[in-house]
Amino acid sequence: MHWTDYAKLVGARARAQAVPFSLGFELTHRCNLQCEYCDRHTPLPSEMSYDQMLRALAELYALGMRHVSLDGGEPLTHRYVLEITEFLTALGVRVYMNTNGVLIPRRKATISLLDKLKISLDGPRQAHDQVRGAGAFDKAIRGADQAIEWGRSVEFTCVIGTHNADRMEELIDFAEERAYRVVFQPVRPSLFIDGAGVGQSYVADPERLQAALAVVANRKRAGSPAVANRWPSLRHFADYPRDAELPCAAGWINATLDPEGNLYHCGQVNRQEGGMNVLEHGARRAFEQLQRQGCAQCWCARVVEENFAWGMRARRFLPSRGTAAQAAPKRHLNVLGSD
């Protein structure tokens, strides 16, 4: 990264000038699976053309974008995913991808350009396939192993809910055997705050969720290389689903671009009101008009950890003290003890 990019980040941290350093780009809302707790299965009515995507990304790059996480839907279903990835990497942008893993073996040219793949894994097999469809587990593992064989960095994402909350030990054992790393986080009622609630039936009650998180925390404390969470997210999840304030980089160095060109300060916000469209207003104006105010309902592990780093909350990153199995008063188990 050039020194001018570091200068822009320092300026953003000082609240002097925001910069869209890290962009979540939802290529399409089309998906090849029908996961039961997900809001995105079919393309939006007016998804951007290839030329429109290049224009939007070029304008955001000029504003300071240096990291892109390709998302969906399933980004590997997009007909131009290779060309978009080539365009970004030619600019020197680091490109990650969130994927269900199914199409990885058929997309070597694209996969070979990525810095990291983040693959959904609700396993073991029965739990994963219960949500994502028969055979989805084996296809995800096949895709992950293929990406690793091609030399790519792979990390899994496990959302903990009613379908798998009692199987964390089994999943971590499986991940350790295969040298996988897994990030854990709670199932939410919707991908969007105040969304339709399609995933409500998969939301575990607080006690059951905290018991599952206690397993994850204990295994991390014991040195398991399979648990990829850092301590800020595990500490933060002890409050789920209650409001929990934290520092927020949304709109300061982070932004989300949807398939129609609407720009949002955070990928989790409700989309009903719409965002500023970069095709209509240009990327500069759309980014300048973003909200720069956080919320108290942030439950994506990687975002939580980035926000605590943004807020320079160094103590949150120190290893937890205390015993995860201790019971907390009434509503929650004490996953992490005092800190």
Side-chain angles (χ1 to χ4, degrees):
M1 195 165 62
H2 194 269
W3 70 266
T4 56
D5 297 323
Y6 285 109
K8 289 177 181 178
L9 286 176
V10 171
R13 181 64 189 84
R15 302 296 200 270
Q17 183 176 358
V19 55
F21 181 80
S22 183
L23 179 74
F25 179 26
E26 299 163 2
L27 276 172
T28 179
H29 281 186
R30 176 188 290 111
C31 191
N32 54 330
L33 296 181
Q34 294 285 323
C35 304
E36 294 184 12
Y37 53 63
C38 182
D39 306 69
R40 304 176 194 168
H41 299 123
T42 58
L44 293 178
S46 302
E47 295 193 350
M48 289 186 286
S49 68
Y50 175 61
D51 289 340
Q52 288 173 328
M53 288 190 291
L54 292 189
R55 174 184 143 198
L57 292 170
E59 290 183 13
L60 287 161
Y61 177 80
L63 296 177
M65 179 193 76
R66 297 296 182 268
H67 176 272
V68 171
S69 186
L70 298 176
D71 205 345
E74 171 51 55
L76 289 175
T77 65
H78 198 282
R79 63 184 299 187
Y80 293 119
V81 64
L82 173 59
E83 290 82 356
I84 291 299
T85 307
E86 288 176 331
F87 175 77
L88 291 168
T89 55
L91 292 172
V93 174
R94 291 173 58 83
V95 184
Y96 290 7
M97 180 180 286
N98 292 302
T99 175
N100 57 42
V102 172
L103 295 175
I104 287 175
R106 296 161 53 185
R107 300 286 190 271
K108 182 177 181 179
T110 299
I111 302 307
S112 298
L113 294 171
L114 301 174
D115 290 284
K116 178 183 284 189
L117 290 101
K118 296 171 282 186
I119 300 176
S120 301
L121 183 67
D122 291 330
R125 180 181 287 104
Q126 180 183 358
H128 187 90
D129 287 359
Q130 175 184 336
V131 175
R132 302 179 185 275
F137 176 85
D138 290 331
K139 291 175 183 177
I141 296 303
R142 188 179 307 121
D145 289 343
Q146 183 65 81
I148 293 169
E149 183 179 320
W150 290 335
R152 298 302 88 195
S153 173
V154 170
E155 195 171 77
F156 291 91
T157 305
C158 174
V159 289
I160 304 174
T162 56
H163 61 303
N164 63 2
D166 304 324
R167 307 190 71 176
M168 291 298 100
E169 294 277 15
E170 188 178 348
L171 177 54
I172 294 172
D173 286 344
F174 173 79
E176 286 185 356
E177 290 170 3
R178 302 179 73 100
Y180 292 160
R181 287 177 57 75
V182 186
V183 171
F184 297 86
Q185 61 195 39
V187 167
R188 292 173 287 152
S190 168
L191 294 179
F192 311 116
I193 296 173
D194 299 324
V198 296
Q200 186 63 54
S201 64
Y202 284 93
V203 176
D205 65 74
E207 288 74 18
R208 190 176 177 195
L209 173 67
Q210 294 304 322
L213 287 168
V215 171
V216 175
N218 276 334
R219 293 294 290 266
K220 179 176 179 64
R221 190 178 291 110
S224 172
V227 179
N229 295 69
R230 292 180 288 180
W231 286 112
S233 62
L234 293 175
R235 285 189 169 95
H236 186 71
F237 293 157
D239 286 316
Y240 184 86
R242 300 172 297 178
D243 283 355
E245 299 286 347
L246 75 168
C248 186
W252 286 103
I253 59 171
N254 296 336
T256 294
L257 184 67
D258 82 2
E260 296 185 321
N262 298 305
L263 195 66
Y264 300 89
H265 69 293
C266 173
Q268 299 177 54
V269 297
N270 191 295
R271 308 291 177 88
Q272 295 301 313
E273 297 180 2
M276 286 284 287
N277 192 278
V278 298
L279 302 178
E280 180 180 352
H281 302 286
R284 181 176 295 278
R285 184 181 174 199
F287 183 70
E288 287 174 348
Q289 296 299 313
L290 290 182
Q291 294 184 47
R292 294 183 172 86
Q293 180 177 349
C295 71
Q297 283 290 312
C298 186
W299 307 113
C300 173
R302 295 179 182 91
V303 175
V304 168
E305 292 169 5
E306 290 168 1
N307 280 333
F308 277 112
W310 164 257
M312 297 189 293
R313 305 292 179 82
R315 289 187 67 244
R316 283 274 177 162
F317 287 83
L318 298 176
S320 160
R321 301 192 305 270
T323 303
Q326 293 173 341
K330 296 183 180 179
R331 292 207 300 168
H332 295 278
L333 296 177
N334 183 6
V335 175
L336 297 158
S338 59
D339 60 356

